[in-house]
Amino acid sequence: MNKRNKKSKYSIGSLLLLLAFFFYFVFVKNGSLPDLESKPKTEKEAPLSQFTGKVVGVSDGDTFKVLYNGKKVKVRLLDIDCPETKQIFGSDAKDFANDLCYGKMVTVNPIGGKDQYGRILGYVYVDDTINVNALLVKEGLAWRYKYSDNEEIKELENQARIEYKGLWIQKDPVDPWEWRKLHNRK
């Protein structure tokens, strides 16, 4: 019985040694060893640290497509909500954003992570000085997002309201989140 146990130990050891040689010759010697350290990149992955890219599309006033490392990434402006394109002032917000950003290099500071649609949430700067998020609110082309605690954006919205700029010229402007509720039911 003792000889049997030894024989089975040697068989398993021999098999493991054979497997080790096999993997060495197939993967290491041929240079095709998979990189187990790095996480595989998917098309939906995008940088979550500050980056610079070219604006190649403006979906609406607060959503852009930015070309970064040869791939288009969707960026949603943080802390603001522009009127929907079919809403009053929606096309004005889109045109303003388009004129300001389209075809230009921008810096994206993605401090908000990603939203449920996979869009990068952050601040966009043209020429490293113009805060697009803040400028849209200042011009009365966006609301401060209802859950935002950004005091600068809050103050800019209050000033635009006082001055009746852009959408604040309306008696009772409908904020985009309420407009979406009403129009997504149909």
Side-chain angles (χ1 to χ4, degrees):
M1 191 152 187
N2 199 7
K3 286 184 180 181
R4 243 186 183 170
N5 286 343
K6 279 188 177 182
K7 189 175 184 183
S8 118
K9 283 184 187 177
Y10 291 125
S11 298
I12 292 174
S14 299
L15 180 62
L16 290 174
L17 189 58
L18 184 63
L19 282 172
F21 279 116
F22 172 77
F23 281 107
Y24 173 78
F25 282 108
V26 169
F27 293 111
V28 177
K29 192 140 183 151
N30 292 333
S32 61
L33 187 63
D35 184 6
L36 301 175
E37 295 280 320
S38 67
K39 188 172 131 186
K41 295 258 182 207
T42 64
E43 285 185 31
K44 291 190 177 186
E45 282 188 53
L48 288 180
S49 58
Q50 185 170 304
F51 65 96
T52 301
K54 183 177 183 178
V55 175
V56 294
V58 176
S59 304
D60 55 33
D62 54 29
T63 307
F64 303 155
K65 288 181 183 164
V66 178
L67 190 62
Y68 174 74
N69 281 346
K71 295 190 181 197
K72 292 179 187 176
V73 293
K74 285 188 179 180
V75 177
R76 172 70 167 74
L77 301 182
L78 188 64
D79 289 327
I80 73 167
D81 203 353
C82 287
E84 295 299 315
T85 307
K86 293 182 180 179
Q87 190 177 359
I88 297 172
F89 283 94
S91 60
D92 295 314
K94 180 179 179 178
D95 292 344
F96 184 86
N98 195 53
D99 291 344
L100 184 62
C101 299
Y102 185 78
K104 295 183 182 171
M105 295 299 288
V106 296
T107 301
V108 179
N109 188 3
I111 59 174
K114 289 186 179 182
D115 67 7
Q116 68 268 28
Y117 306 109
R119 300 176 297 188
I120 296 170
L121 299 171
Y123 289 93
V124 172
Y125 298 88
V126 175
D127 299 327
D128 290 328
T129 58
I130 301 169
N131 181 332
V132 178
N133 309 50
L135 190 56
L136 281 160
V137 174
K138 181 180 179 181
E139 294 301 319
L141 296 170
W143 276 259
R144 175 181 66 89
Y145 189 63
K146 65 181 178 177
Y147 299 114
S148 170
D149 57 0
N150 183 312
E151 289 299 318
E152 177 191 5
I153 298 289
K154 184 178 182 180
E155 182 55 41
L156 289 170
E157 182 185 292
N158 288 338
Q159 193 60 39
R161 284 175 184 252
I162 290 167
E163 295 174 7
Y164 297 102
K165 283 183 130 177
L167 60 91
W168 302 113
I169 199 165
Q170 302 171 81
K171 183 178 179 187
D172 292 313
V174 177
D175 51 52
W177 49 92
E178 291 299 324
W179 192 90
R180 286 189 293 268
K181 282 183 197 174
L182 293 171
H183 291 82
N184 286 339
R185 290 183 185 163
K186 294 180 182 178

